[in-house]
Amino acid sequence: MTNARPWTRHYDKGVPHTLEPYPEHTLVDVVRRRALESPDQQALLFKGSVISIGTLEQESNALAEALSELGVASGDRVALLMPNSPQMVISELAVWKTGAIVVPLNPLYTENELVYALNECGAETIIVLTSFYGKIKAIAPDTRLRRVIATSIKEYLPPLIQVLFTFLKEKKDGHRIALQKGDYLLQDLIARHASAQSKPLPVRHDAPALFLFSGGTTGNPKCAVSTHRSLVISGVQIASWFSVILEKGRDTIILNMPMFHVYGQAGIMPAAIMGGYALVMVPNPRDIDDLLHIIKTLKPAVLPGVPTLFTALLNHPKVKKDNRIMKSLKLCVSGAAPLMLETKQSFEALTGGRIIDAYSLTETTLASTFTPILGTYKPGSVGIPVPDVDVRIVDQENGKDELAPHDVGEVIMRAPQLMKEYWQNPGETAMVLRNGWLYTGDLGYVDEDGYLFIVDRKKDVIKPGGFQVWPRDVEEVIARHPAVQEVSVAGVPDPYKVEAVKAWIVLRSGEKLTAGDLCDFCRRDLAAYKIPRHVEFTEALPKSTVGKVLRRKLVEEHCRKAGTTGK
């Protein structure tokens, strides 16, 4: 490519080619400044409650004072085990105000997974939702935990809903606890230090702010370390991209992607803070009925998600009955997995808004590619790099030679907000960070305009009889069949070809399809070696907490039934 950044020609009008120099401050600084300028401005919307930016500042100041008094100091790691909620955001700001590092944990972790994560990051303090309090107390002796702070989901509900929750759900759903000696309640700590005054942040903008767990290239969980500056940069980049369609100070963004995941934590939340948009907090992203109620009542402008979420919404009975529910959505952002063209077209027809693809990794702190919101869309592409992000395709064997447009190789990325390191893991760090570039482990190509097309993970490539098959290619074709609602494709062991293509299919309600008919359908667009050798119809596909289909689980179950071993 003769132009080092050919993609900038395709930026929407108003998106600058560069956003440098980036401000040398933190999200804490931004919240503090906004609280001084407009203390009554809405910051968080939660189940009928409105938390102003002034309240956010005041309560995080109080909690920061309490944490410091308990012994939390600069550089300490503080774990947070709770869903998206006001106390999650308040806790994060408070932790940062002590100079400590936030470690969001997945509430669905098993006890063994929690022990591993807590020991890996070395956290001595945890703030935990009451429903997970018992689990934490059970594993605490196997960790370095010294301080446990509990918070109830009801604390920021409107008064009437609080009462209903207390009588109908608190005990039944495991939220009512008996606090053990030496532990603390979040609201008690905040109330005790309610008069705390704002203090200068005792950390530099380039100090570590966040540990997010990632499987990296090997699949072993590791802490990716991001700085305060990284979060600000990601927020500025994404807010700039969104600004061509959103109205600052009026539009709201749903925060339904879990904050233990980079999508919500390093993408949506910083973008809202830096762009001046209120966040609509969704504690359970899998509760589609609740999500639809929120969309209908609060009329947000932005809905982040993954392809399975948009498919579920399109097929939901309430949406089919009344498509006006979704009309407030100006912009939907699909990440974490490829978005099928049919899903994009159907969702845009439903909402009247735009749905764009996105691509990023935990290790890049949401240095991203996005498809233009108003400009050229190329089917199959995950878009173009946002300002100050670079993407190259290199030879997947030597990792050095840059490939020509349309040649498939490993995707590498460079940006000012890349993670600093994997915590206390220099070997793994050196594998992915090389000369300022992050090696993603994903295979893809760019076209002459710089649009990125992800083919698949290196480890997901299927090799039947020596050929190479990328699951995405097969999934795209199968998804076009009118009877198919969801599909996932992966390689499974085969005695003849070593590895064979298998498709797992979820059919639309009331539809019928045979494996033979599906293969006949595929023959029109796929070479013979790409056509699934095995087809399994299933009620649902296993998904991660953010809705990404877990191919590994599908392969493991296939191998268990067949008595074989997968790759």
Side-chain angles (χ1 to χ4, degrees), residues 224-238:
V225 182
S226 294
T227 66
H228 288 280
R229 182 171 184 264
S230 295
L231 295 175
V232 168
I233 291 172
S234 288
V236 170
Q237 290 171 345
I238 297 170

Side-chain angles (χ1 to χ4, degrees), residues 161-174:
I161 299 179
Q162 275 194 22
V163 172
L164 293 173
F165 181 87
T166 300
F167 284 101
L168 300 178
K169 286 192 171 186
E170 188 171 46
K171 184 177 181 180
K172 184 182 73 171
D173 293 351

Side-chain angles (χ1 to χ4, degrees), residues 481-514:
H481 195 288
V484 173
Q485 178 169 309
E486 286 188 281
V487 57
S488 185
V489 169
V492 296
D494 184 86
Y496 176 63
K497 294 190 174 184
V498 180
E499 195 171 27
V501 178
K502 179 170 179 176
W504 288 263
I505 308 290
V506 177
L507 294 176
R508 296 184 187 276
S509 178
E511 296 287 349
K512 294 182 179 180
L513 185 66
T514 67

Side-chain angles (χ1 to χ4, degrees), residues 338-490:
L339 178 70
M340 303 299 178
L341 179 60
E342 182 185 356
T343 303
K344 173 182 169 64
Q345 293 172 337
S346 298
F347 213 84
E348 289 185 339
L350 174 71
T351 64
R354 302 297 180 108
I355 183 169
I356 61 173
D357 268 289
Y359 169 76
S360 193
L361 291 89
T362 301
E363 289 81 356
T364 67
T365 320
L366 256 285
S368 308
T369 67
F370 286 117
T371 48
I373 296 173
L374 304 175
T376 302
Y377 173 77
K378 298 191 178 187
S381 171
V382 292
I384 51 181
V386 300
D388 307 312
V389 175
D390 288 301
V391 170
R392 286 182 182 172
I393 308 298
V394 296
D395 184 282
Q396 61 180 299
E397 299 301 328
N398 62 38
K400 296 178 181 179
D401 298 335
E402 186 172 2
L403 302 183
H406 300 282
D407 287 348
V408 173
E410 182 169 1
V411 180
I412 63 174
M413 301 181 74
R414 180 175 63 185
Q417 74 261 46
L418 299 183
M419 72 169 186
K420 286 185 66 174
E421 61 182 347
Y422 289 127
W423 176 248
Q424 296 183 339
N425 200 330
E428 291 278 1
T429 301
M431 285 178 61
V432 299
L433 284 176
R434 306 179 216 168
N435 300 316
W437 290 86
L438 189 135
Y439 283 67
T440 68
D442 288 331
L443 296 177
Y445 65 91
V446 294
D447 67 10
E448 55 282 345
D449 294 320
Y451 278 70
L452 176 63
F453 296 75
I454 297 298
V455 174
D456 256 306
R457 293 289 295 175
K458 280 168 109 175
K459 61 185 178 183
D460 286 340
V461 173
I462 310 167
K463 297 180 178 179
F467 292 102
Q468 287 192 333
V469 177
W470 290 283
R472 168 71 186 266
D473 289 347
V474 184
E475 290 170 349
E476 282 278 7
V477 171
I478 293 175
R480 292 188 211 128
H481 195 288
V484 173
Q485 178 169 309
E486 286 188 281
V487 57
S488 185
V489 169

